Amino acid sequence: MSEILVLGAGMVGVSTALALQERGHDVTIIDRNSPGRETSYGNAGLIQTEAVEPYAMPLAPGALMQIALGRGYDVKWNIPGLLSQAGAVWAYAKNSLPSAHRRASQTWGRLIRQSTERHGPLVEASGADNIIRRDGYVEIHRTPKKMEKARKAAERFRTEFGVEARLLDGKELRALEPAIKIEVEGATHWTDSWNCSDPGGLVARYAALFERRGGRVLNGDAGDLHRKGAAWVADEAEAEHAVVALGPWSPMMLGRFGLNVPMVYKRGYHRHYHMDAPPHHPIADFGNSVVLSPMRRGLRIATAAELTRNPRLTPPQLSHGEAAARELFDIGAPVEAEPWTGRRPCMPDMLPVVGRVPDQENLWAHFGHGHQGFTLGPVTAEILADELDGGDGWPELQPDRLKRATG
Ligand SMILES: Cc1cc2nc3c(=O)[nH]c(=O)nc-3n(C[C@H](O)[C@H](O)[C@H](O)COP(=O)(O)OP(=O)(O)OC[C@H]3O[C@@H](n4cnc5c(N)ncnc54)[C@H](O)[C@@H]3O)c2cc1C
C-alpha cells in the first residue's frame, strides 16, 4: 500500500506527486490516460510570471452587451452551457467586481510570481530544457489606445508586483518578430515569463522523472474512489491518503464526498498550422482573443473562453483566430483534421482549491487553477505537500471555503 494516491496525471497531479515524493513519501499516481493528455496537453504553453491578476469576467456595459449578443470572441456561450453552470457564473461575476478581484489578485500574484522558480528544478531534472524557452512572450496592440492602456498596465504590474516588461513600438516589434507581415502599433514583451513548445510532453517528462525517482504511475479509472477501512482505494490501488487532482473532473468526484464544488468550465480550442518561419515567441493577440504559440507540431492557435456543454465542430473563436493569424503571418494548412478542445477548471472566486477536504479524513483537494494551471501546478503542489506534512496551508485556498460559500 502506498502512503499517498494522487488521482489525475495532468500538470497539477504530476507536480503534486513530485512535491510529495521530494519530501520522502511513497506516492502512486492513477490516471485513465497517459500523463498530460487532457487540459495540460491543450493549452497555449505559457509559464507565466506576469499574469499577476486572475481573469475577471468583463463587466463593463459595452463588453457585457457584446457577450450577450454573441459578438466579440472573448466569451462565447449557448443557453444549455450557461444554464448548466449559472450559479457558478453568477458568483464569478460578483467576484469580478473591483474590490473582490483586488483581494483575489493579492493571493494570485503571490502564487504566479513563484512559477518559474518552481518549474526550473523540474525542467532541469527531467531533461526538458529543449522544450522550454525562457525569453518571454509578446502581446501585440493594434491601436494607439490599446498601446496606451498596455503601457499603464505594464507600469502598474512593475510597481505592484515587480513584473519585467519591455514596451516595443512597431519598428522594434518587427525587428524582434520579422515573421509579422503587417504594421502593428506596438507590443509588450513580457520578458521574464517562459513558454513550452510541447505542454503535454513537459507533463510526460515530469511524470517520467517521478517514476525514475521511484514513483508509480498506474493506468486506471479513479472514478470509483472509496474507503476500505482506513484506506482509500481507486481502481485497485490503495493508500492512506488520496489527493483529488482531476482538473475539470474534480467536482464530479468530490460531490460524492459531500463537497459541492461550483465550477465555471471555460472551454477552449486549439489547432496547429504548418508554418515555415514561425515567430520566435508566442504572440498573444488578445484583441482577437487568441494566443499563437510556436510549437513542435506547428503554430498552435489557442482560443479564449466558451461556456458550452458540448464542443462545436467549427468553433467561431477558432475560425476568427485563424483569420487574425493569417493576417499577421504566412501560415499553411491545419495539421489536424479537427481542433482539440478542453475545459479550463475555473473557480468562481478565481483561486485554486488546495488543502484538506472537510469531514473526510486524509482526503485532499488540488484543482481549479483556471487559466493558469500549467503555470501554477508546481507552485500549489508545494503548498499542498507542506500542509499534508503538518503545515498550515494557505487559508484562502482551503476547500472548506466552498462549504462556507454554499452553506
Ligand atoms: C485553450 C487553453 C489554453 C490555456 N493556456 C494556458 C497557458 O498558456 N498557461 C497556463 O498556465 N495554463 C493554460 N491553460 C489552463 C491549463 O491548461 C489548465 O489550468 C491545467 O492544464 C489544468 O491542469 P490539471 O492537472 O488540473 O487538469 P488536467 O490536465 O485536465 O488533468 C486532469 C487529469 O485527470 C484525469 N482524469 C479525469 N477523470 C479521471 C478518472 N475518472 N480516472 C482517472 N483519471 C481521470 C484526466 O485524464 C487528466 O489527465 C489553458 C487552457 C486551455 C483550455
Side-chain angles (χ1 to χ4, degrees):
M1 180 167 105
S2 291
E3 259 183 285
I4 305 171
L5 195 55
V6 174
L7 316 181
M11 178 55 90
V12 173
V14 173
S15 302
T16 310
L18 280 162
L20 289 164
Q21 184 184 55
E22 183 77 27
R23 288 162 177 262
H25 294 290
D26 178 13
V27 185
T28 299
I29 302 178
I30 181 164
D31 198 300
R32 59 188 174 195
N33 214 328
S34 303
R37 298 313 297 166
E38 293 285 355
T39 332
S40 300
Y41 163 80
N43 54 69
L46 304 179
I47 297 176
Q48 299 178 260
T49 52
E50 92 303 335
V52 288
E53 294 177 340
Y55 273 92
M57 188 180 289
L59 292 178
L64 275 181
M65 188 58 85
Q66 283 239 1
I67 295 171
L69 296 175
R71 302 200 187 119
Y73 293 90
D74 245 4
V75 185
K76 290 275 185 201
W77 58 282
N78 63 17
I79 288 172
L82 197 57
L83 288 182
S84 64
Q85 47 190 320
V89 172
W90 177 243
Y92 198 116
K94 282 198 291 186
N95 285 315
S96 300
L97 291 167
S99 61
H101 186 243
R102 232 182 339 268
R103 250 192 331 273
S105 300
Q106 294 301 321
T107 305
W108 185 262
R110 276 162 65 210
L111 295 172
I112 281 281
R113 294 300 288 158
Q114 299 177 42
S115 65
T116 50
E117 194 183 307
R118 291 290 179 205
H119 274 276
L122 301 179
V123 168
E124 193 179 328
S126 65
D129 224 39
N130 63 334
I131 54 170
I132 295 294
R133 288 174 304 233
R134 295 177 170 78
D135 55 357
Y137 79 95
V138 173
E139 180 183 345
I140 61 166
H141 312 297
R142 290 177 183 248
T143 64
K145 198 168 155 202
K146 292 251 165 77
M147 188 69 213
E148 194 41 43
K149 206 168 152 202
R151 198 181 303 284
K152 288 189 183 139
E155 183 52 34
R156 190 165 65 77
F157 285 5
R158 193 180 63 74
T159 37
E160 284 181 26
F161 296 95
V163 173
E164 296 289 334
R166 244 183 93 212
L167 289 158
L168 310 175
D169 62 22
K171 198 165 144 217
E172 289 164 326
L173 174 61
R174 264 196 314 283
L176 187 71
E177 289 295 353
I180 296 182
K181 60 183 189 183
I182 58 166
E183 291 287 322
V184 174
E185 179 67 21
T188 311
H189 182 187
W190 300 106
T191 47
D192 61 8
S193 288
W194 293 0
N195 58 85
C196 176
S197 60
D198 181 3
L202 185 66
V203 179
R205 290 201 206 182
Y206 285 3
L209 172 68
F210 166 74
E211 289 187 290
R212 272 203 306 283
R213 289 176 170 173
R216 281 172 301 279
V217 180
L218 302 181
N219 194 245
D221 191 346
D224 73 336
L225 181 74
H226 60 277
R227 280 207 180 273
K228 187 168 138 201
W232 287 103
V233 183
D235 217 322
E236 284 172 10
E238 257 185 68
E240 192 184 335
H241 298 262
V243 182
V244 176
L246 297 170
W249 293 275
S250 303
M252 218 158 60
M253 161 79 70
L254 285 167
R256 288 209 287 114
F257 297 102
L259 189 63
N260 176 25
V261 180
M263 186 176 269
V264 177
Y265 299 91
K266 294 194 195 173
R267 183 178 293 290
Y269 299 87
H270 85 228
R271 201 170 191 185
H272 296 98
Y273 293 77
H274 293 288
M275 193 168 180
D276 291 335
H280 301 308
H281 306 83
I283 307 289
D285 184 358
F286 292 133
N288 286 299
S289 312
V290 276
V291 177
L292 315 170
S293 302
M295 296 256 171
R296 286 188 141 185
R297 290 174 66 83
L299 185 75
R300 178 178 288 191
I301 302 182
T303 67
E306 188 185 90
L307 306 178
T308 49
R309 280 169 74 102
N310 300 311
R312 303 184 205 236
L313 225 51
T314 46
Q317 288 162 308
L318 190 58
S319 314
H320 178 77
E322 182 184 333
R326 289 193 185 283
E327 195 191 350
L328 284 175
F329 299 116
D330 282 324
I331 59 175
V335 172
E336 300 92 356
E338 284 177 11
W340 172 90
T341 184
R343 298 168 305 159
R344 298 171 182 89
C346 299
M347 298 308 296
D349 63 4
M350 289 168 253
L351 295 176
V353 181
V354 187
R356 188 184 289 281
V357 175
D359 310 322
Q360 296 291 340
E361 206 176 338
N362 297 340
L363 185 62
W364 303 84
H366 192 195
F367 62 88
H369 297 69
H371 289 252
Q372 267 98 18
F374 186 66
T375 295
L376 287 178
V379 177
T380 50
E382 251 334 289
I383 297 170
L384 184 91
D386 183 59
E387 188 182 345
L388 202 143
D389 267 354
D392 292 335
W394 283 27
E396 55 279 57
L397 306 182
Q398 291 298 317
D400 67 2
R401 72 185 199 268
L402 305 175
K403 282 234 147 158
R404 291 196 302 273
T406 54

